[in-house]
Amino acid sequence: MRYQLAPLFCRPWTLNGISPRLIESHYEHDYGGALARLNELTAELEALDPRTTPPHVISRLKRDELTALNSTLLHELYFASLGGDGRAVPEQIASAIAGSFGSVDRWRLEFIALANALAGGSGWVLLTYVPRDGRLINQSASDHSQSISGGIPILALDLYEHAYHLDFGANAAAYIAAFMRNIEWNAVQTRFQNAVQVAPPPRLEQKQFPDLPSITVEEVKAMLDAGEAVQIIDTRPRHYSTRASDMMEGAVWRDPEHVADWIGGLSKGAPVVTFCVYGFHIGCETAETLRKAGFDARYMSGGHYAWKAIKGPVKMFPSSIQP
Ligand SMILES: [Fe+2]
């Protein structure tokens, strides 16, 4: 398969303070060069025999292919980021930016700061949509292969010297200002509208417990930090507790095999949170049992290890675990 050249998206003669000569050189030599390199590498990879080619040779070709492919994609995005007046940010993208950054001004300051930090070096500054979280984020990348996994860049600023020295010499700051004056926000918004169509990665589903309410470790931590009354029960199985060394701060251990023995000690006046090792079964089953008995019980998703992963406080597992 050969990659096709994309026509130049922006109209160079309409740009304000960026010369057609610079765009032409950039498009022809750097974008065109990346695409040619990508096609050469693709041909080389297709032609080799993976059974006889040393792995390090394949690995090097694949690394170069990644760099060339990302360079191609980012250059296409860069040229498609230019051609507007930079200031008129349409409603939908403006409110999405405000939602993720506080305000368009704040976004602009951060984006320019990242660009200035790269000036004198080289790399990219990108505004990227992350479907997982439905949010926009700025990132800088000092080479062509560092963009956010699963993210969809919708605006790109090229800070390789070839992108500006013809017009601006070493004055990267002037180039950054010119770029900001030429952002084509309508096109950015169209890319944003397309990006938000991408579904986030599927979330973990507990199919056996479809209606059982859960609570995240972050929510439990916020309740504890706020001093809210909550009854937290570690229901890791007894056999597991023999090798457990720590336990969530604020939790008590209760044997999930003998709920009837300890349910009488719970209050219906405060929510109950149960959890097990990873949050799959036992914490869920216990929460279900407690709900049937009339408690406001939820299981903590991710269990003990999710709590540890957010650096939630832990204590020594008690040596006596008799409930
Ligand atoms: Fe470039």
Side-chain angles (χ1 to χ4, degrees), residues 32-246:
L35 188 85
R37 179 99 187 104
L38 176 61
N39 277 329
E40 281 162 25
L41 288 160
T42 305
E44 229 178 306
L45 280 159
E46 283 170 358
L48 64 77
D49 182 346
R51 284 164 302 193
T52 54
T53 310
H56 73 268
V57 172
I58 298 179
S59 171
R60 180 180 49 75
L61 286 169
K62 290 301 291 181
R63 199 172 54 236
D64 293 349
E65 177 198 42
L66 174 66
T67 300
L69 176 57
N70 258 347
S71 175
T72 304
L73 295 170
L74 290 173
H75 275 109
E76 288 172 10
L77 177 60
Y78 170 75
F79 296 121
S81 294
L82 294 168
D85 80 351
R87 260 188 301 278
V89 185
E91 173 68 31
Q92 188 185 358
I93 185 68
S95 82
I97 288 175
S100 293
F101 293 90
S103 68
V104 172
D105 278 348
R106 201 180 157 79
W107 164 78
R108 193 184 299 269
L109 291 171
E110 186 184 279
F111 191 86
I112 292 172
L114 287 175
N116 282 325
L118 278 179
S122 58
W124 294 92
V125 184
L126 307 173
L127 172 62
T128 292
Y129 177 75
V130 183
R132 177 186 185 275
D133 306 297
R135 65 160 293 168
L136 290 162
I137 188 164
N138 284 328
Q139 74 150 122
S140 71
S142 57
D143 68 31
H144 300 294
S145 54
Q146 295 177 332
S147 31
I148 292 169
S149 179
I152 303 169
I154 60 172
L155 172 69
L157 166 53
D158 188 337
L159 268 163
Y160 283 77
E161 214 185 36
H162 65 236
Y164 62 91
H165 74 117
L166 223 68
D167 278 4
F168 299 90
N171 192 351
Y175 162 63
I176 293 164
F179 175 86
M180 300 306 288
R181 279 199 305 276
N182 284 280
I183 295 175
E184 169 44 314
W185 280 108
N186 292 308
V188 176
Q189 175 161 281
T190 300
R191 284 190 292 273
F192 173 73
Q193 289 164 342
N194 293 338
V196 296
Q197 303 298 316
V198 175
R203 297 185 66 83
L204 174 66
E205 258 185 85
Q206 302 270 44
K207 290 208 172 79
Q208 323 86 300
F209 306 98
D211 302 318
L212 184 63
S214 64
I215 185 166
T216 65
V217 285
E218 292 88 351
E219 287 166 338
V220 174
K221 185 153 191 307
M223 288 171 87
L224 289 174
D225 290 347
E228 286 175 41
V230 52
Q231 306 168 90
I232 303 176
I233 306 174
D234 180 341
T235 59
R236 286 179 288 173
R238 179 176 285 273
H239 69 81
Y240 188 89
S241 68
T242 58
R243 62 187 172 93
S245 59
D246 57 7

